Structures are given as structure tokens and as C-alpha cells.
């Protein structure tokens, strides 16, 4: 009863939680949470990290980390959100715990709502550009990886274009978030997520039937065990798991705050994490067989998606269509994630400044566009971040700061909070006050109290470098 009482008391404090919108259905919620989780992280980041970190060995480490660290953190975030019925900043106050924990909410909102979005939308904009370009010249300019690199370089050097596509992308996200939880986010995810899945299957069918595709499948499924000695592998896998599951930034706290009281949190989180992992694994099957069949380098890093793949497509029969479909897929993935970040910033603005949703969307949208503009400009010019003698683009620096520092730290704090300071209310939340069973409660408790915090701390400590 305690957690429910806390909610009731604190909701009468501001009145906002009582009229809080809820997801229309369980499927709607899972698809929205999966929509947030499945994003550029799965299709752009996961395959290039696999390429960089020795193929299947990365996948194995990633799976272990996701099951024993990512999933427990996600469950903790859902529980906090549903108990508090607030966005992350207000959530810890609503739970009546030591105000220190509010730091998780603040860090998440600032890092997620603003920092991650500032570069996420820039890349989101690229997907629109590449969709259009698939039929207007991309295929003619990308016969080799070098030419494709030059095409990409010229594009990101044209600041006006990059900013315009980024603004367009943000506008689409704002429009959806404007519609609210049910009519905006839930409805759009219900359309886009199944489409994304179908497109993925079409692309895989195309890739694996190319002559020479087996080499890619072998690379993808063959572990290079020697990589296990490299600490960077673990930090990459950990950061990727948090990034991909949208953890450590309060997104799942926010989404959890819209879940109905009778929903079964453990199975919702299992569904969300499984769908996310499935799409990441499938992305590899769509990409590596094609890359190998066309004799390209799998370890091309960040450029794998925007440089190597167009070159691969341009050599395939029907390449323009495949290319269009691929970037449409990437667009769906990116926009459903981007709007979850925008939603966090928007609910924050609504609660903090008592704004109407529409005004809050404008406010956050404009801030995000301005920050994104800075990211875009840094790709082609001076705004660089120099630290300890090394300098990075603003976009790279923010990506590094978020994925390798803020997400792990946010998730570590969440584990410590849930495992050591809020365990009983969390357990009540996970079992709907004792009404439903949570079969893996023992494992979850052990992970959230001991394994996850120690592992995050260790991996973070050994792997961190600028
Ligand atoms: N999970 C998203 C992806 O995989 C990115 C994201 C990170 C979204 C953090 C929200 C919060 O692309």
C-alpha cells in the first residue's frame, strides 16, 4: 500500500498526476517503448560496433550485459515512473525520498532531452536526405567507398542543407509529440514499428540472397575470442546496451509514468528489451552479408551506414529501391526514438513551468534545433571540443559524453537507488502490490543490488578514455 499512498499524497500536491494520460493498450505501450529503444542505436551504431569489436564476440558480451544489467535497470526505471506518475525531475520528489536522488532526473532530462537530441536529430536529418538522394543521384555518385565518402563529406560540409534536414526532422517529431501520448506517440508507433519490421525482413531477404553473402554471415557469427582482453569492448557493449534500451536518461521513467496500474511491468520490459535486441541482431543480417558480397570493409566505423552501404546498394540490382527502403527504415527508427527524448523534455517543461503541451513542444523544439545547429556546424567547421590535448567534433564529443559517461552514471545511480534505498516499494510496483507474480524477482534483486552496480563501475573505470 505504501507506494500507492505516496502517489496519492504527492499527486494532490500539484494535481497534475490525477489527469495524467495513460497508454491506450498494452501493445501500444510496448510498441512505444520499443519505438524509443529501437533507433539509430540498433541500425547505425550496433553493426558498426560489431564490425569494430571482432564480430560475434561483441554480440555475446552485449547479450550478457543486456540481460543482467540493461533489463534490470529498465525494470527499475519503469517502476519508478509508474509509482511516481511524474517526469524524471519530479519523480523523486513525488516518491518522498532524499532530494539527492533528484540528480538522476535532472541529469537524464538535460543529457537526454537536450544533449542526445542535439546530435540524434542531425543524424535523423541525414536519413531524410539519403531517402531523397536514393532516387536523385546517390546511386551514381557512390560506385566505390571513396566516392561514397566524398558524397557524404560534401553533404555534411553544406551547412545549410544539413541544418534544413535536421529542422525538418525535428518538426516531424514535434508534430507527433504535440498529439500527446495516445494520439501522437502511441498511434504513430503502432504504424511505424510494424512497417519497420517488414522493411527489415525485405532487406535481409535481399542481402542474404546475394552471391558471396555467406562470408558476411560467417563474420557476423564467428567470435574473435582474442578481443575479450580488450577493456574497450566491454565499455562499448555497456554504453551500447544503455543507449539502445534508452536507459539512464529517464526516458523509461517518463514512459513508465503513463503505464496503467494493472500492467505487468516485468513482461512489458522483457518484451521491450527483446524486440530491441532482435532488431539490432537483424540489422546485422541485413548489413554484413551485403557488405561482404560487394567486397567492402566491415570495420568502417561510424561511416558504415552512410558511406559503405550506399556504395553497396549502388552495385546491387534495384539498388535505388533498396537504398530508399533502408533509409526509410532508419528514419522510422530514428523518429520514434527522437520523439521519446522530446517527450521527456516536453513533460519536464509542462510540469516545471505549467505550460500547455503545445507551448512546451515549441519551447523544447526550438532549444533542440539550436543545439542541433551547433552539432551540424561542427561537422564542417570550427566548433570543436578540446580536452586533455585531444579534440573532437561537437557531435562526437557529445555522443561520447552521453554514451560513455552520462548513461552509465545515470544507470548506476538508478541501480543504487532502487536496490538499496527503494527496494520494497519497487518490489510492490513490480508485482502490482502483490497481485501478480514476478518470476525472476530474486535474480532481479541480486542484479540491481550487486551485479549491475559493480559491473557498471568496473567497466566504466577500466574502459574510460577520451
Ligand atoms: N534507444 C535509441 C536508439 O537505439 C536512442 C536513445 C537513447 C533514445 C537514449 C532515447 C534515449 O537509437
Amino acid at each position: 500500500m505504501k507506494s500507492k499512498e505516496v502517489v496519492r499524497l504527492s499527486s494532490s500536491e500539484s494535481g497534475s498526476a490525477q489527469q495524467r494520460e495513460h497508454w491506450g493498450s498494452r501493445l501500444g505501450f510496448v510498441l512505444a517503448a520499443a519505438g524509443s529503444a529501437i533507433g539509430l542505436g540498433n541500425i547505425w551504431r550496433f553493426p558498426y560496433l560489431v564490425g569494430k569489436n571482432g564480430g560475434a564476440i561483441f554480440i555475446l558480451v552485449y547479450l550478457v550485459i543486456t540481460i543482467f544489467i540493461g533489463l534490470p535497470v529498465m525494470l527499475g526505471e519503469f517502476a519508478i515512473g509508474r509509482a511516481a506518475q511524474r517526469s524524471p525531475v519530479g519523480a523523486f520528489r513525488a516518491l518522498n525520498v532524499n532530494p539527492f536522488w533528484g540528480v538522476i532526473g535532472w541529469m537524464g532530462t538535460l543529457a537526454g532531452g537536450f544533449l542526445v537530441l542535439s546530435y540524434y536529430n542531425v543524424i535523423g536529418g541525414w536519413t531524410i536526405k539519403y531517402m531523397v538522394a536514393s532516387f536523385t543521384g546517390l546511386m551514381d555518385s557512390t560506385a566505390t567507398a571513396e566516392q561514397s565518402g566524398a558524397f557524404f563529406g560534401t553533404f555534411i560540409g553544406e551547412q545549410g542543407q544539413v541544418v534544413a534536414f535536421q529542422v525538418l526532422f525535428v518538426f516531424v517529431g514535434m508534430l507527433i509529440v504535440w498529439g500527446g501520448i495516445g494520439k501522437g506517440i502511441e498511434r504513430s508507433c503502432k504504424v511505424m514499428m510494424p512497417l519497420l519490421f517488414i522493411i527489415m525482413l525485405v532487406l535481409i531477404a535481399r542481402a542474404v540472397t546475394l552471391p558471396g553473402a555467406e562470408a558476411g554471415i560467417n563474420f557476423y557469427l564467428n567470435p574473435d575470442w582474442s578481443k575479450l582482453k580488450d577493456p574497450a569492448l566491454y565499455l562499448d557493449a555497456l554504453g551500447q546496451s544503455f543507449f539502445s534500451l534508452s536507459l539512464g536518461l529517464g526516458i523509461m521513467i517518463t514512459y513508465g509514468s503513463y503505464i496503467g496500474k494493472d500492467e505487468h511491468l516485468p513482461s512489458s520490459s522483457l518484451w521491450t528489451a527483446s524486440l530491441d535486441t532482435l532488431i539490432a541482431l537483424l540489422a546485422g543480417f541485413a548489413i554484413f552479408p551485403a557488405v561482404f558480397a560487394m567486397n567492402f570493409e566491415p570495420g568502417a566505423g561510424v561511416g558504415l551506414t552512410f558511406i559503405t552501404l550506399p556504395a553497396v546498394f549502388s552495385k546491387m540490382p534495384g539498388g535505388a529501391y533498396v537504398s530508399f527502403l533502408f533509409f526509410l527504415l532508419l528514419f522510422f527508427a530514428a523518429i520514434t526514438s527522437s520523439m521519446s527524448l522530446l517527450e521527456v523534455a516536453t513533460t519536464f517543461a509542462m510540469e516545471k513551468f505549467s505550460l500547455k503541451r503545445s507551448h512546451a513542444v515549441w519551447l523544447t523544439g526550438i532549444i533542440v534545433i539550436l543545439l542541433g545547429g551547433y552539432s551540424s556546424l561542427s561537422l564542417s567547421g570550427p566548433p570543436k571540443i578540446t580536452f586533455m590535448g585531444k579534440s573532437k567534433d561537437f557531435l562526437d564529443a557529445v555522443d561520447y559524453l552521453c554514451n560513455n559517461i552520462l548513461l552509465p552514471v545515470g544507470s548506476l545511480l538508478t541501480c543504487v537507488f532502487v536496490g538499496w534505498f527503494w527496494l520494497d516499494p519497487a518490489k510492490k510496483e513490480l508485482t502490482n502490490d502483490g497481485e501478480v507474480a514476478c518470476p525472476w524477482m530474486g535474480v532481479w534483486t541480486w542484479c540491481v543490488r550487486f551485479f549491475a552496480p559493480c559491473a557498471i563501475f568496473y567497466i566504466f573505470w577500466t574502459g574510460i578514455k577520451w
Side-chain angles (χ1 to χ4, degrees):
M1 280 312 287
K2 200 159 125 216
S3 61
K4 279 199 174 158
E5 263 162 32
V6 170
V7 173
R8 210 174 37 233
L9 285 178
S10 46
S11 55
S12 56
E13 222 173 58
S14 73
S16 65
Q18 270 143 359
Q19 309 108 31
R20 206 168 184 83
E21 214 185 322
H22 279 170
W23 302 105
S25 65
R26 167 128 189 253
L27 177 73
F29 160 61
V30 169
L31 287 180
S36 166
I38 297 169
L40 294 170
N42 303 57
I43 300 161
W44 164 69
R45 224 167 170 271
F46 181 79
Y48 92 66
L49 288 176
V50 173
K52 169 182 164 222
N53 287 301
I57 193 66
F58 180 80
I59 303 181
L60 283 180
V61 174
Y62 178 81
L63 287 178
V64 172
I65 288 184
T66 298
I67 294 171
F68 293 104
I69 303 180
L71 193 55
V73 174
M74 178 184 276
L75 203 46
E77 290 202 7
F78 279 157
I80 296 174
R82 188 171 70 172
Q85 299 278 298
R86 289 285 198 296
S87 73
V89 170
F92 294 88
R93 218 173 325 124
L95 295 177
N96 267 339
V97 292
N98 188 320
F100 164 77
W101 297 109
V103 80
I104 302 179
W106 278 104
M107 222 177 69
T109 304
L110 295 178
F114 297 108
L115 286 183
V116 176
L117 265 187
S118 76
Y119 73 91
Y120 207 84
N121 290 331
V122 175
I123 304 176
W126 298 353
T127 64
I128 306 183
K129 158 77 187 180
Y130 271 68
M131 262 190 303
V132 179
S134 296
F135 294 113
T136 55
L138 181 66
M139 294 296 104
D140 310 323
S141 337
T142 52
T144 62
E146 285 71 44
Q147 278 178 337
S148 191
F151 180 92
F152 180 68
T154 315
F155 164 57
I156 61 170
E158 286 169 20
Q159 300 180 339
Q161 259 208 72
V162 177
V163 173
F165 280 110
Q166 174 228 335
V167 172
L168 184 63
F169 184 83
V170 177
F171 275 147
V172 179
M174 284 168 65
L175 213 64
I176 300 175
V177 171
W178 194 321
I181 288 298
K183 289 208 198 85
I185 297 184
E186 184 169 346
R187 196 194 282 169
S188 59
C189 284
K190 271 183 160 168
V191 176
M192 284 192 263
M193 297 317 287
L195 276 177
L196 178 145
F197 193 68
I198 295 170
I199 299 177
M200 182 68 96
L201 294 183
V202 172
L203 290 175
I204 293 178
R206 172 70 278 203
V208 297
T209 48
L210 288 168
E214 312 81 58
I217 300 178
N218 281 341
F219 168 80
Y220 194 44
L221 298 181
N222 255 338
D224 171 0
W225 297 102
S226 69
K227 287 273 181 193
L228 276 181
K229 289 194 221 98
D230 181 4
L233 168 89
Y234 301 92
L235 188 59
D236 273 350
L238 185 77
Q240 172 62 16
S241 181
F242 291 145
F243 183 76
S244 190
L245 296 172
S246 304
L247 300 175
L249 296 178
I251 312 277
M252 294 305 174
I253 297 185
T254 308
Y255 274 28
S257 73
Y258 300 116
I259 308 180
K261 283 287 174 196
D262 45 354
E263 214 52 81
H264 191 224
L265 296 182
S267 53
S268 299
S269 59
L270 193 60
W271 268 107
T272 309
S274 307
L275 285 174
D276 183 64
T277 308
L278 177 73
I279 294 290
L281 293 176
L282 289 180
F285 280 109
I287 292 175
F288 290 113
V291 168
F292 276 80
M294 301 296 167
N295 278 326
F296 282 101
E297 246 309 296
V302 188
L304 185 64
T305 312
F306 290 95
I307 298 175
T308 311
L309 284 183
V312 170
F313 298 143
S314 74
K315 285 200 187 166
M316 282 181 186
Y321 296 96
V322 181
S323 168
F324 173 79
L325 276 183
F326 177 81
F327 288 107
L328 179 66
L329 169 88
L330 208 54
F331 169 77
F332 282 155
I335 195 77
T336 47
S337 300
S338 161
M339 69 205 192
S340 74
L341 290 159
L342 201 57
E343 172 63 26
V344 173
T346 302
T347 14
F348 166 70
M350 283 163 69
E351 286 171 17
K352 192 81 195 156
F353 309 115
S354 308
L355 292 181
K356 284 207 304 215
R357 182 170 272 273
S358 52
H359 293 168
V361 170
W362 271 111
L363 179 70
T364 44
I366 288 172
I367 297 179
V368 161
I369 287 176
L370 292 178
L371 278 172
Y374 198 76
S375 262
S376 302
L377 299 187
S378 84
L379 291 171
S380 56
K384 299 235 185 285
I385 309 273
T386 309
F387 181 65
M388 294 187 7
K390 247 186 165 178
S391 116
K392 287 182 192 271
D393 292 332
F394 181 71
L395 191 150
D396 281 346
V398 174
D399 180 74
Y400 189 87
L401 173 70
C402 292
N403 289 314
N404 292 5
I405 302 177
L406 296 174
L407 269 65
V409 171
S411 302
L412 176 66
L413 289 175
T414 306
C415 288
V416 174
F417 170 68
V418 174
W420 294 92
F421 295 90
W422 195 69
L423 192 60
D424 287 337
K427 283 184 172 171
K428 282 191 183 143
E429 206 52 54
L430 299 191
T431 55
N432 298 357
D433 256 341
E435 277 166 28
V436 290
C438 172
W440 18 284
M441 185 69 96
V443 183
W444 176 77
T445 310
W446 179 79
C447 286
V448 98
R449 276 170 83 90
F450 304 106
F451 182 70
C454 296
I456 299 173
F457 186 76
Y458 179 76
I459 296 174
F460 180 66
W461 200 246
T462 49
I464 192 85
K465 60 175 167 315
W466 171 247

